[in-house]
């Protein structure tokens, strides 16, 4: 009896402790959590309302349009992963920024220097990480991609193994879950030349070795004499409307040691090699 009373009081104690702990951890993000849930609820209303609100064609007369819901459909999936550096000094600072309605930015995931992965936006929802961007013919990368921010100040910060290893694990899950093509793991600077330079000095080769994005081979072959560097950049996905900016973006990703807006003979060998992989 004594035993059972003890165990009862100890379980009450444990339960109370859990309540206090969960109250503490919930309270910290309670306000932003509520905003998230309310917004998500609003979006779920939009997709479950029939007929869909505001989606009938204005140019068609009412008598010429109707709604009949099909029984076969799914939810759209992300097809790209865009990697960023936060250009901030800590994970806490980035989380705070992503809570700021005024800042208006967010990412699906943030990864700390010690490898902690913080999930902030459901993969099926659109986070505000890409901004004005273009890759190939895609002009709305926010709608088609998962954004991953890596805590790094963007200057001389190294990329710790713990952080890169967590990223590799996350990428493996995302690639498998959404069937994302190898070519579609790219950086913010790739899709927003001139505007962005992140992630800087990033270990893209480590990612490419695991099947996330491409990297050039150790042995580089000479391109044919009629090799057109502008067309190659465009074919890979770069927006070449500002060619020097596209060249700089390519070099931020693949050359890194020199990011001037001109292609050296070695840069051209790298470009040709990368181009042949697409
Ligand atoms: Zn970025």
């Amino acid at each position: 009896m004594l035993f059972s009373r003890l165990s009862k009081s100890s379980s009450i104690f444990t339960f109370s402790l859990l309540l206090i702990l969960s109250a503490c951890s919930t309270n910290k993000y309670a306000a932003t959590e509520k905003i998230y849930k309310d917004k998500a609820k609003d979006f779920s209303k939009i997709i479950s309302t029939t007929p869909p609100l505001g989606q009938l064609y204005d140019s068609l007369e009412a008598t010429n349009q109707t709604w009949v819901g099909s029984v076969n459909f799914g939810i759209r999936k992300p097809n790209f992963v865009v990697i960023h550096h936060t250009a901030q000094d800590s994970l806490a600072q980035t989380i705070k920024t992503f809570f700021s309605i005024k800042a208006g930015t967010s990412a699906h995931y943030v990864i700390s220097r010690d490898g902690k992965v913080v999930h902030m936006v459901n993969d099926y929802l659109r986070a505000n990480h890409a901004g004005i961007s273009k890759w190939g013919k895609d002009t709305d990368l926010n709608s088609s991609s998962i954004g991953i921010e890596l805590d790094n100040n963007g200057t001389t910060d190294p990329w710790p193994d713990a952080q890169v290893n967590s990223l590799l694990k996350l990428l493996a899950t995302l690639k498998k879950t959404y069937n994302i093509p190898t070519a579609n793991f790219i950086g913010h600077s790739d899709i927003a030349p001139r505007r962005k330079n992140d992630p800087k000095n990033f270990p893209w080769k480590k990612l490419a070795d695991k099947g996330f994005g491409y990297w050039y081979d150790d042995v580089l072959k000479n391109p044919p004499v009629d090799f057109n560097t502008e067309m190659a950049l465009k074919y890979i996905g770069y927006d070449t409307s500002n060619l020097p900016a596209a060249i700089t973006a390519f070099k931020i990703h693949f050359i890194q040691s020199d990011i001037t807006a001109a292609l050296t003979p070695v840069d051209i060998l790298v470009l040709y090699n990368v181009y042949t992989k697409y």
Side-chain angles (χ1 to χ4, degrees), residues 11 22 49 75 112 136 139 151 156 180 194 208 217 231:
S11 60
S22 77
T49 301
I75 195 155
S112 71
T139 55
D151 186 25
T156 52
I180 298 173
R194 207 163 30 121
D217 298 318
M231 290 309 290

Side-chain angles (χ1 to χ4, degrees), residues 50-252:
T50 56
L53 292 169
Q55 286 187 12
L56 294 181
Y57 306 102
D58 291 342
S59 55
L60 275 175
E61 300 82 14
T63 50
N64 265 347
Q65 51 181 301
T66 189
W67 160 261
V68 183
S70 168
V71 294
N72 304 315
F73 55 91
I75 195 155
R76 294 175 197 234
K77 296 174 187 172
N79 199 236
F80 288 87
V81 169
V82 177
I83 293 169
H84 306 251
H85 68 222
T86 58
Q88 293 194 318
D89 292 319
S90 70
L91 179 72
Q93 196 187 348
T94 301
I95 290 176
K96 205 175 157 197
T97 303
F98 290 168
F99 282 164
S100 160
I101 289 171
K102 197 176 161 206
T105 59
S106 62
H108 294 87
Y109 298 90
V110 187
I111 306 182
S112 71
R113 288 164 167 87
D114 62 2
K116 188 177 173 195
V117 177
V118 182
H119 195 179
M120 296 192 75
V121 178
N122 187 307
D123 294 352
Y124 290 110
L125 295 175
R126 185 178 187 274
N128 299 344
H129 63 96
I132 298 165
S133 52
K134 191 172 183 224
W135 188 247
K137 296 277 186 279
D138 191 329
T139 55
D140 184 11
L141 272 295
N142 272 338
S143 284
S144 56
S145 70
I146 295 279
I148 303 176
E149 288 276 0
L150 301 170
D151 186 25
N152 182 290
N153 69 16
T155 52
T156 52
D157 252 4
W159 297 96
D161 285 345
Q163 188 177 38
V164 174
N165 289 339
S166 286
L167 173 66
L168 291 172
K169 285 177 189 162
L170 174 60
L171 294 181
T173 303
L174 295 175
K175 184 175 184 177
K176 194 172 160 214
T177 308
Y178 305 117
N179 199 19
I180 298 173
T182 300
N184 291 4
F185 293 79
I186 49 182
H188 200 187
S189 55
D190 292 319
I191 61 168
R194 207 163 30 121
R195 228 168 45 78
K196 295 290 174 182
N197 71 350
D198 64 305
K200 214 172 169 190
N201 301 319
F202 187 68
W204 286 110
K205 187 181 182 309
K206 281 188 186 172
L207 270 60
D209 287 345
K210 302 275 183 191
F212 312 121
Y214 290 126
W215 193 250
Y216 57 86
D217 298 318
D218 294 337
V219 179
L220 299 172
K221 287 183 191 155
N222 279 318
V225 282
D226 60 349
F227 178 57
N228 183 324
T229 54
E230 182 176 345
M231 290 309 290
L233 287 166
K234 199 171 182 173
Y235 188 82
I236 291 170
Y238 288 97
D239 175 6
T240 53
S241 58
N242 180 328
L243 188 56
I247 291 171
T248 301
F250 170 80
K251 290 176 71 167
I252 288 171

Side-chain angles (χ1 to χ4, degrees), residues 38-50:
D38 287 348
K39 285 188 90 161
K41 213 181 280 172
D42 286 346
F43 287 125
S44 71
K45 266 185 224 153
I46 290 173
I47 59 171
S48 58
T49 301
T50 56

